[in-house]
Every structure is written in C-alpha cells, then in structure tokens.
Amino acid sequence: MTLRLDRVSYQVETSAGAVEVLHDVDLELAEGSISAIVGPNGSGKSTLARLASGLLRGSSGSVALVDGSGVQTSRDVRPGLDVGLVFQNPDNQLVATTVEDDIAFGLENLCLPHDEMVQRVDDALDLLGLRNFCDYPPHRLSGGQKQKVAIAGVLVMKPAFLVLDEATSLLDPSNRRDVMDTVLQLNRELGIGVLMVTHLLEEVMVASRVGVLADGRMVGWDTPQSVFSQQSVVEQGGLVLPLSGRASLLMQGRWPEFPLCLTAEEFTRAACQLN
Ligand SMILES: Nc1ncnc2c1ncn2[C@@H]1O[C@H](COP(=O)(O)OP(=O)(O)OP(=O)(O)O)[C@@H](O)[C@H]1O
Ligand SMILES: [Mg+2]
C-alpha cells in the first residue's frame, strides 16, 4: 500500500485574508519505506505531517492510500488506523494515569475483543521495552520513555505508516538514539513505513528519500545524496551539509571528480583512493 499525496494545497484564514501554507505538494511513500521531510521553520512541515496522517484535509488535491499495480484502488486515510502521528512533545499526547492505560487509549474506540486489546498492549510494552513501567504514571517517566509510550500508543493501532513530527528533537542524544533505533526496528521487523519530519542530519541519512520544503513548496524529493548535491535545494531548504560533505566540496576544488561524501567513512574511503 502506498501513501500518496497528489497536488495537495492547504489554505488558512488569517486577518490579512487567505494564505496558502502548502502549495501543490506531491509525495509518494512506498510501503515499508523510510522518508524524511526537511525545511526551515514555517515551511509547512507539520502541516504536511497532519495532512499525510489524515488529521487535516487539504483545500485541494488528494491524500490517499493506493493499492495494487494494474487496477489500482485508493481510499481515504483513516487517522491513527492507517497512519499514526507522533508529535514533538510527548507531554501533549499522554492522557491516562498509567502507562498501560495510555497505550490502550486509542484502542478503546475500536470495539476490539478484550483479549485482542490486552494482547496488542502487551506486545507494544515488550517491543518498546516499557514492561517495567506499565503501572507508572506517564508524567514520572523521562522524556525518552514518554516518547516511547506515545509511539506505543500509536503502534497498538497497527498503522501501515508512522509519521514522526520532530519526535526526537526534545530528547538528549542517548534517548534520541534509543527512540530512533526503536523506529528503525519497527520498520525492519514490522514493515511499518516511516516519514520523519526532522532537522537532524543523522535522521535524514537513514531515509531512502528526502523531501525539502521551502515556503510551502516541495523544492526537492530525492535520495539524501542527490538532495545534498543540489546547491539551490540545499540553500532553499536551509540545509547544512555534514562536515564530511563540506570537506568533500573543498576537495572538489582540487580534484573535481571527488564524490560528495556524507559520512566520515565515505570520505575516508574516497580520500584513500586519491593518488
Ligand atoms: N491554522 C493556522 N492558522 C494560521 N497560520 C497557520 C495555521 N497553520 C499553519 N499556519 C502557518 O503555516 C506555516 C507553516 O506552519 P507549519 O507548522 O506547518 O511549519 P513547520 O515547517 O512545521 O515549522 P517548524 O519548523 O517551526 O515546526 C506557518 O507560517 C504557520 O504560521
Ligand atoms: Mg513543525
């Protein structure tokens, strides 16, 4: 199943009249893929995350799940069920008095058999390493643990896609790593497609496709390597190349064929091949 946004625009009413926050955005997220969205503050990333999750409806264009290759069927995105959204601040998403109840919260409306509900919450507790905290009040947890509870609450709904809107940006490096590793594991083991809205280069680098938003327009959609190679996209997206990338550009001054390396390992390999 592919999550497809087709020429989606989104308008808001302001005191100065209607303003278009997103303009004709196309996005195609393949089943089980990892993608990232980057762009300056106010470029429309969170709006796009909400549209892709079915929480907002575009002023024009379509957001749909598309199935099949020959005869395609498509349907609207059901928020939570098809696409789960995790926000930047876990405090805004935790609602119940214990971790276990919090994780089960979204399930309450699905009218599932009781055993199935218990099973799903149990699986999520194990998957995210939250078993020992199941009776804890969520507000007593650390930021990283809270974010894991928020992810667990999204996962029990068994969505095909997980959208993370700067979900690790308030965490310290170790908790960030932990949450990211968990997300990558969910992608590998359960085949959940991931869309990360992020400012963090390390999160961009694990994506197979990166979308660059600038002023509500998608100015780039390609592999990280290709996006970072396009000077105008880098500038419009306010992107900062990693150190190895900046060093590669300097090397290209002397050796024009030197590749754009985005990791220290790539850079070292390329440098060793110079003669
Ligand atoms: N309901 C609304 N009413 C008025 N303006 C809005 C509304 N929703 C979004 N905007 C405007 O749309 C633009 C994009 O907002 P959005 O939150 O999507 O940006 P963002 O890329 O997520 O920014 P950040 O990096 O700061 O999180 C901003 O200029 C914002 O003020
Ligand atoms: Mg945002």
Side-chain angles (χ1 to χ4, degrees):
M1 218 157 34
T2 301
L3 177 56
R4 186 181 293 166
L5 277 70
D6 210 7
R7 296 180 69 93
V8 175
S9 296
Y10 185 73
Q11 277 190 352
V12 293
E13 289 300 327
T14 68
S15 51
V19 174
E20 202 161 73
V21 170
L22 279 182
H23 183 77
D24 273 356
V25 169
D26 292 329
L27 190 65
E28 190 160 310
L29 307 179
E31 186 169 327
S33 61
I34 300 181
S35 313
I37 297 289
V38 295
N41 291 138
S43 56
K45 304 180 297 298
S46 294
T47 308
L48 180 60
R50 286 180 167 81
L51 284 160
S53 315
L55 291 178
L56 277 182
R57 223 165 233 292
S59 326
S60 60
S62 69
V63 178
L65 284 161
V66 183
D67 213 353
S69 50
V71 181
Q72 290 193 335
T73 57
S74 83
R75 61 175 171 79
D76 285 348
V77 171
R78 297 166 301 173
L81 282 170
D82 295 313
V83 185
L85 178 59
V86 182
F87 299 92
Q88 181 174 36
N89 190 344
D91 288 326
N92 297 341
Q93 324 179 52
L94 304 177
V95 284
T97 50
T98 68
V99 164
E100 198 166 25
D101 287 350
D102 207 286
I103 295 173
F105 186 78
L107 286 177
E108 311 276 350
N109 296 326
L110 295 189
C111 305
L112 293 172
H114 182 70
D115 291 353
E116 161 101 27
M117 266 182 69
V118 172
Q119 188 65 51
R120 286 199 192 188
V121 173
D122 260 6
D123 290 347
L125 283 168
D126 285 338
L127 204 60
L128 288 136
L130 293 166
R131 170 68 62 192
N132 293 339
F133 302 105
C134 64
D135 297 325
Y136 263 54
H139 68 263
R140 288 239 201 105
L141 300 175
S142 77
Q145 290 162 341
K146 283 181 191 168
Q147 200 56 288
K148 285 186 182 179
V149 174
I151 293 175
V154 164
L155 274 185
V156 287
M157 311 293 279
K158 299 200 170 174
F161 291 91
L162 191 59
V163 176
L164 303 159
D165 187 357
E166 303 197 42
T168 65
S169 61
L170 296 180
L171 307 180
D172 67 31
S174 143
N175 274 309
R176 183 181 296 160
R177 199 50 284 143
D178 227 22
V179 168
M180 265 312 286
D181 285 348
T182 308
V183 168
L184 297 182
Q185 184 192 349
L186 295 171
N187 171 262
R188 256 192 335 268
E189 293 176 6
L190 303 180
I192 296 184
V194 178
L195 178 65
M196 290 179 292
V197 171
T198 185
H199 286 290
L200 301 166
L201 211 60
E202 58 195 292
E203 296 184 354
V204 173
M205 300 310 292
V206 299
S208 57
R209 284 277 180 283
V210 184
V212 184
L213 272 179
D215 269 340
R217 286 168 199 268
M218 197 72 99
V219 296
W221 174 248
D222 216 322
T223 60
Q225 181 76 25
S226 171
V227 160
F228 282 110
S229 307
Q230 298 167 53
Q231 187 60 30
S232 73
V233 173
V234 168
E235 274 168 24
Q236 289 178 83
L239 307 178
V240 178
L241 277 176
L243 183 58
S244 46
R246 300 202 298 278
S248 304
L249 296 182
L250 291 175
M251 296 294 271
Q252 285 170 2
R254 168 78 171 75
W255 291 278
E257 73 286 358
F258 196 87
L260 176 68
C261 304
L262 298 178
T263 64
E265 289 75 18
E266 280 175 34
F267 185 89
T268 311
R269 222 176 297 128
C272 288
Q273 280 166 10
L274 290 173
N275 45 41

